[in-house]
Amino acid sequence: MLEYKPNLLGILLFRKYWKEIMDGTMSGQVLLFVCLLALDLASAQISYSIPEEMPKGSLVGNIAQDLGLEIKRLVSGKAKIYTRNSEEYVELNRDRGVLIVKERIDREALCAETALCALHFQIILENPIEFYSVTVQITDINDNAPTFEKSEMKFKISESAVTGAKFVLERAVDLDVGINNVHGYDLKPSHYFALNVQNNADGNKNVEMVLQKPLDREKQEQISLVLTAVDGGEPQMSGTMLILITVLDVNDNAPVFTQATYKATVTENSAKGTVVATVTATDADHGSNGKITYSMTNTLDSVRKLFRVDEEKGEISLIGHIDFEKSKHYQINLLASDDGGLTDSCKLIVDVQDINDNKPEISIMSKSNVISEDAKISTVVTIINIDDLDSGENGNVKCFVNENIPFVLERPTNNFYRLVTDSELDREGASEYNITVTCSDEGVPSLSSSVTLTLQISDVNDNAPVFERSSYEAYIVENNTPGLSIFTVKATDADWNQNARVSYILEDSSVNGVPVSSYVSVSADGGVIHAVRSFDYEHIKDFQFRVKAQDGGSPPLSSNVTVKILIQDQNDNPPQVLYPVQTGGSMVAEMVPRSADVGYLVTKVVAVDVDSGQNAWLSYKLQKATDRALFEVGLQNGEIRTIRQVTDKDAVKQRLSVIVEDNGQPSRSATVIVNVAVADSFPEVLSEFTDFTHDKEYNDNLTFYLVLALAVVSFLFITCLVVIISVKVYRWRQSRILYHSNLPVIPYYPPRYSDTLGTGTLQHVYNYEVCRTTDSRKSDCKFGRAGSQNVLIMEPGSTGTMQRMQSEKSILDEPDSPLEVRNI
């Protein structure tokens, strides 16, 4: 078939001789002639069809015969082949006038997946110039067997998988086309699974394995299948893949892609590692059955060399160089599978676009470097102008600022943005902001520019001082020096500079009616609390007051805190002995019978200490004793006991010196003298104690008390006498009145009045006993006896000898008899 195209010839001739013109080897007149000639010449187009893989030298076609040319014309016209590609697969034999195969032609390498594959070239003759287009179609032969990318596929399928569950299998790839391409699939054995092959709109096939009947892991845990792919060529060729199935327990939810088809775009100059798209599948299962693994399936090797998929994230990224001129789009088939062997598939269509090579330009029109923290919302901080030299989507720019800042961008017009406050500012939270404004165009991939603005936040006095504690407790030892520093209160203010300068003030209050300022003072700058006076623990143990912290802002803000001062005791008081009482003019003695056994309680020393704590812990020790082997003192209770049996050889007079010590540092003490009489009767005691130096003082004190008692009795006697005389006079006057009234007089006498002989003297004798013993544990007084009883009399000047008067038994033999008795 011949087709005339005069314009093509002119164009080709012009291209052929342009180089010679540029080199100066051909004049302009010749070029004009050639071009005019080319307009009148006709060109013919002829087509041939040959199979691929023909050996070198094989005949393509008789070009001279088909074009109606003589062989000598081919020789004289220097016929040659012109092709745009550097590789020539067909050459012209001018001597024979035929086209022959010059190089091995592999249709799969030459045209890849394209169904129609052809070689286009031109045959040019000179003198006169003739132009012929030749198309050699390369037909496919069945020289490639179907192949699987993987030699085996492994599935983990739960035994709970329902009948009809589908499992996507790898598709076989056959580089041949047409009838020589993959024709069909076969799966054996087919006890559990059947094969489902679906034809896609693009001519490819989706191969799925469909579960025919339930699996039982207990019966068969491993299943091996063989998938065979065959083509339709002659002879027929095939390829196989082993499918290993592990039956698992309960994985009843297959992964499901959010979309069946994903679309993405990528520019031709995208760098390696660029994420083109992210596919997402979800699995309702948990654990390993819900863990999804992403992979490519049924995808040509040429696509696999350009893209990779992240098995965990589902991100599809570049691993090769994208060339828009080679391919404008790619289809990637993706598989999502869980550990249970359930799968789902989707496809990603990637469109390749030209580059977006201009970044947005950011210009700062006006800005503020400082803004007050009390600025209102929507206060304008800066104005920005945006310009992008690109057009369309690549020139459509959007700007945004970094997150977690109280600022937003507003767009009043297309090319201008203004940065305004979005919420209230707090300098204490952030005193400075580095605001990054990022502008991105809508190109793919998007190009962006950014600029960083530094904005200072000025302070406002909006924070009161805050104490480190909600309340304070401090300790100070008594007897301190006035002016002593007790401790320090501390308050902080989150504001800045003058607004954060804290002063401390002692609030007015009183302690026990006395102003607290007479107890403590507070330094205004440092918050140091000083003692104004010396404290005495025995008078005051603790007190509290309030301290106010005030900042230097205008108006000032303040807060207060309660401070409690605890006075700690110091060992400044010695023990005080309560018993036995130590008097300067008398002698006290405790009596111990000679029959006393070991451990006999003689007496108990009782002492107290007004201090507290360990300063008041008392211990008792025997300091001196007439006989240390006879007595001991309880360390903690102060009890004086015998430590051995009393004998007749022991002296009657025993003098013990007991020291009482507290547990303070340093320790303080007190000493008490205890006199002990070892005797069975009071006469023996008196006879032994006459030479005591205290006898005279003892008698003097006894005389004083006897004289005092006598004076009281005398006073009572005189008072009674006056009363009796007054009654007598009153009655005499009444009798006189009765006498003058001539009334009969009946004399009245009180009972036993005749015993007094009419004198009115009391008939009864009153006895007063004053007694004193050496044993303070026994009674000091006894009731008086009747006047007819015997009375033991001791003269005031007696030396201690006792007289018996009309008594059959000595009163000293009685356990509770007094040492001295006075009858008045």
Side-chain angles (χ1 to χ4, degrees):
M1 178 181 178
L2 297 177
E3 182 179 351
Y4 294 97
K5 295 182 179 179
N7 290 335
L8 287 176
L9 179 60
I11 294 172
L12 291 174
L13 289 174
F14 179 80
R15 293 180 58 185
K16 173 177 177 59
Y17 295 107
W18 175 254
K19 187 174 186 301
E20 297 180 9
I21 295 172
M22 295 301 295
D23 295 338
T25 59
M26 181 178 289
S27 64
Q29 291 81 1
V30 175
L31 174 63
L32 177 61
F33 172 77
V34 170
C35 293
L36 292 175
L37 181 61
L39 293 175
D40 295 331
L41 293 177
S43 64
Q45 182 171 344
I46 191 169
S47 297
Y48 295 101
S49 178
I50 62 173
E52 63 173 329
E53 302 293 346
M54 292 182 66
K56 292 182 181 181
S58 299
L59 178 64
V60 176
N62 192 330
I63 190 66
Q65 179 181 348
D66 294 336
L67 291 177
L69 299 175
E70 296 181 358
I71 295 177
K72 61 181 181 179
R73 172 67 181 121
L74 296 177
V75 176
S76 62
K78 298 180 181 180
K80 61 181 179 180
I81 292 177
Y82 171 79
T83 179
R84 293 182 182 180
N85 298 329
S86 58
E87 295 184 2
E88 292 184 5
Y89 293 95
V90 178
E91 67 177 352
L92 175 62
N93 188 328
R94 288 181 293 190
D95 296 334
R96 296 171 55 192
V98 295
L99 295 174
I100 61 176
V101 177
K102 182 180 179 181
E103 296 289 341
R104 173 181 172 270
I105 300 176
D106 185 359
R107 191 204 65 83
E108 288 75 27
L110 182 63
C111 299
E113 58 192 277
T114 304
L116 297 177
C117 184
L119 298 176
H120 300 279
F121 57 89
Q122 292 77 34
I123 296 178
I124 300 175
L125 288 82
E126 299 177 1
N127 300 320
I129 297 175
E130 292 180 287
F131 170 81
Y132 302 97
S133 294
V134 180
T135 299
V136 179
Q137 293 185 357
I138 310 300
T139 59
D140 184 50
I141 65 172
N142 192 24
D143 59 343
N144 292 282
T147 60
F148 291 93
E149 181 184 357
K150 300 177 181 178
S151 61
E152 65 179 24
M153 287 188 69
K154 295 181 179 180
F155 289 91
K156 295 180 179 179
I157 304 176
S158 172
E159 64 178 341
S160 63
V162 297
T163 302
K166 298 179 180 180
F167 305 91
V168 179
L169 301 178
E170 283 284 347
R171 186 173 61 207
V173 177
D174 195 326
L175 298 180
D176 296 326
V177 295
I179 193 65
N180 296 325
N181 202 339
V182 177
H183 181 68
Y185 294 89
D186 184 38
L187 182 66
K188 292 182 180 180
S190 58
H191 302 296
Y192 289 98
F193 296 91
L195 202 59
N196 182 23
V197 180
Q198 296 178 349
N199 294 323
N200 292 334
D202 56 2
N204 294 320
K205 293 180 173 61
N206 284 341
V207 183
E208 296 178 337
M209 183 174 60
V210 181
L211 184 63
Q212 293 292 100
K213 63 179 182 179
L215 301 175
D216 190 348
R217 187 189 64 84
E218 287 71 26
K219 291 183 178 180
Q220 188 173 2
E221 186 174 357
Q222 298 289 338
I223 300 175
S224 297
L225 304 177
V226 176
L227 178 64
T228 304
V230 295
D231 59 22
E234 186 65 34
Q236 190 179 59
M237 305 181 75
S238 64
T240 60
M241 179 177 65
L242 179 63
I243 301 175
L244 300 177
I245 300 174
T246 302
V247 182
L248 302 177
D249 286 330
V250 188
N251 179 30
D252 52 354
N253 290 282
V256 178
F257 279 101
T258 57
Q259 300 178 35
T261 301
Y262 291 84
K263 291 186 178 181
T265 56
V266 61
T267 56
E268 60 179 337
N269 65 340
S270 297
K272 293 181 180 181
T274 300
V275 177
V276 177
T278 301
V279 296
T280 304
T282 59
D283 193 327
D285 292 326
H286 296 281
S288 62
N289 291 332
K291 183 179 180 182
I292 298 175
T293 302
Y294 300 91
S295 61
M296 291 185 186
T297 180
N298 298 330
T299 303
L300 298 176
D301 290 340
S302 58
V303 178
R304 292 180 181 272
K305 293 178 180 178
L306 296 176
F307 302 91
R308 67 174 294 272
V309 60
D310 189 301
E311 293 183 354
E312 295 181 0
K313 299 180 181 178
E315 294 178 348
I316 292 87
S317 57
L318 292 176
I319 58 174
H321 178 68
I322 297 295
D323 190 354
F324 177 80
E325 284 70 28
K326 288 185 178 180
S327 180
K328 298 178 178 58
H329 64 271
Y330 296 91
Q331 177 176 322
I332 304 174
N333 297 310
L334 299 170
L335 181 70
S337 58
D338 59 18
D339 286 351
L342 301 182
T343 61
D344 191 19
S345 61
C346 72
K347 62 182 178 180
L348 171 64
I349 304 300
V350 180
D351 294 325
V352 182
Q353 293 183 347
D354 280 336
I355 61 173
N356 173 33
D357 55 352
N358 288 286
K359 294 182 178 180
E361 296 180 1
I362 304 174
S363 300
I364 305 299
M365 305 296 294
S366 176
K367 68 175 182 178
S368 300
N369 294 325
V370 180
I371 185 173
S372 175
E373 67 174 325
D374 61 351
K376 296 181 179 179
I377 297 177
S378 297
T379 300
V380 178
V381 178
T382 186
I383 298 176
I384 301 172
N385 174 253
I386 308 298
D387 189 21
D388 195 317
L389 299 178
D390 294 326
S391 61
E393 295 295 329
N394 294 333
N396 190 6
V397 179
K398 293 183 179 179
C399 298
F400 56 90
V401 295
N402 47 310
E403 297 180 353
N404 300 324
I405 60 173
F407 303 95
V408 294
L409 283 175
E410 294 181 351
R411 190 175 190 175
T413 61
N414 287 337
N415 296 330
F416 289 89
Y417 282 90
R418 59 188 178 192
L419 182 68
V420 299
T421 57
D422 183 43
S423 60
E424 295 182 353
L425 303 178
D426 186 7
R427 189 207 67 83
E428 290 70 39
S431 60
E432 178 181 285
Y433 288 96
N434 291 322
I435 306 170
T436 301
V437 180
T438 303
C439 297
S440 304
D441 59 29
E442 294 184 356
V444 178
S446 176
L447 299 180
S448 63
S449 300
S450 63
V451 62
T452 300
L453 306 174
T454 300
L455 184 63
Q456 302 286 340
I457 310 299
S458 61
D459 186 49
V460 174
N461 188 29
D462 56 349
N463 290 279
V466 178
F467 283 96
E468 293 178 345
R469 303 179 187 175
S470 58
S471 62
Y472 290 87
E473 281 191 1
Y475 296 87
I476 184 172
V477 180
E478 66 172 331
N479 303 320
N480 59 285
T481 303
L484 176 68
S485 172
I486 302 176
F487 80 110
T488 303
V489 295
K490 181 68 175 179
T492 56
D493 196 312
D495 293 322
W496 183 73
N497 206 358
Q498 183 67 25
N499 295 331
R501 187 170 298 168
V502 179
S503 299
Y504 301 91
I505 302 170
L506 181 64
E507 291 189 351
D508 293 335
S509 61
S510 61
V511 178
N512 297 331
V514 179
V516 71
S517 58
S518 63
Y519 285 85
V520 293
S521 65
V522 180
S523 62
D525 295 334
V528 181
I529 298 178
H530 298 272
V532 176
R533 62 167 64 177
S534 179
F535 298 107
D536 185 1
Y537 176 82
E538 285 70 38
H539 290 83
I540 182 171
K541 292 178 173 57
D542 62 75
F543 63 93
Q544 64 182 23
F545 53 91
R546 298 180 71 82
V547 176
K548 180 172 70 175
Q550 178 175 291
D551 61 25
S554 180
L557 302 177
S558 64
S559 61
N560 51 41
V561 69
T562 300
V563 180
K564 185 175 183 179
I565 303 297
L566 302 173
I567 313 301
Q568 290 184 327
D569 184 46
Q570 195 176 37
N571 193 26
D572 57 345
N573 292 282
Q576 299 177 4
V577 179
L578 301 180
Y579 185 84
V581 179
Q582 301 293 293
T583 59
S586 64
M587 180 195 69
V588 179
E590 303 290 342
M591 190 174 73
V592 177
R594 294 187 179 275
S595 61
D597 294 331
V598 175
Y600 177 82
L601 178 61
V602 178
T603 186
K604 181 178 181 179
V605 177
V606 180
V608 295
D609 195 320
V610 295
D611 292 326
S612 65
Q614 66 178 7
N615 294 331
W617 296 352
L618 301 180
S619 59
Y620 302 84
K621 298 178 182 178
L622 185 61
Q623 188 179 32
K624 295 180 182 180
T626 304
D627 188 353
R628 280 186 171 272
L630 183 57
F631 300 100
E632 67 176 358
V633 179
L635 181 64
Q636 304 296 333
N637 54 25
E639 294 180 350
I640 300 177
R641 295 179 179 272
T642 59
I643 58 177
R644 63 174 176 81
Q645 183 72 40
V646 179
T647 64
D648 295 338
K649 296 181 179 180
D650 291 326
V652 176
K653 295 184 296 181
Q654 297 287 336
R655 183 183 179 89
L656 308 178
S657 176
V658 178
I659 183 170
V660 184
E661 295 180 340
D662 59 27
N663 198 36
Q665 294 295 331
S667 176
R668 292 178 175 270
S669 62
T671 304
V672 60
I673 302 300
V674 179
N675 294 312
V676 179
V678 180
D680 291 328
S681 61
F682 281 103
E684 183 182 358
V685 173
L686 293 176
S687 63
E688 290 294 335
F689 276 76
T690 54
D691 57 348
F692 271 41
T693 57
H694 298 88
D695 287 349
K696 184 178 181 302
E697 296 178 358
Y698 177 85
N699 292 333
D700 290 341
N701 290 335
L702 183 60
T703 301
F704 170 75
Y705 290 120
L706 292 176
V707 171
L708 179 61
L710 180 62
V712 172
V713 171
S714 301
F715 174 76
L716 293 176
F717 175 76
I718 294 173
T719 301
C720 293
L721 186 61
V722 171
V723 171
I724 293 173
I725 294 174
S726 299
V727 172
K728 282 291 193 180
V729 172
Y730 174 76
R731 289 179 176 177
W732 177 76
R733 293 184 63 183
Q734 290 293 329
S735 64
R736 295 290 299 169
I737 294 173
L738 293 174
Y739 176 76
H740 289 294
S741 62
N742 297 322
L743 295 175
V745 177
I746 302 174
Y748 172 77
Y749 300 98
R752 303 186 69 178
Y753 179 75
S754 59
D755 296 340
T756 61
L757 301 179
T759 62
T761 304
L762 294 175
Q763 180 267 342
H764 298 285
V765 177
Y766 290 87
N767 297 319
Y768 295 88
E769 287 184 350
V770 179
C771 58
R772 185 162 187 171
T773 69
T774 58
D775 191 350
S776 60
R777 294 171 298 172
K778 300 177 180 179
S779 177
D780 291 338
C781 301
K782 286 197 172 185
F783 296 102
R785 298 178 179 143
S788 62
Q789 292 179 353
N790 295 331
V791 179
L792 181 63
I793 300 174
M794 179 177 285
E795 297 298 332
S798 172
T799 60
T801 304
M802 305 190 68
Q803 301 176 0
R804 184 188 304 264
M805 297 179 63
Q806 300 177 1
S807 178
E808 295 179 359
K809 183 178 180 181
S810 174
I811 63 172
L812 291 177
D813 293 339
E814 300 178 5
D816 296 328
S817 61
L819 293 178
E820 297 175 3
V821 179
R822 175 72 65 184
N823 185 24
I824 300 176

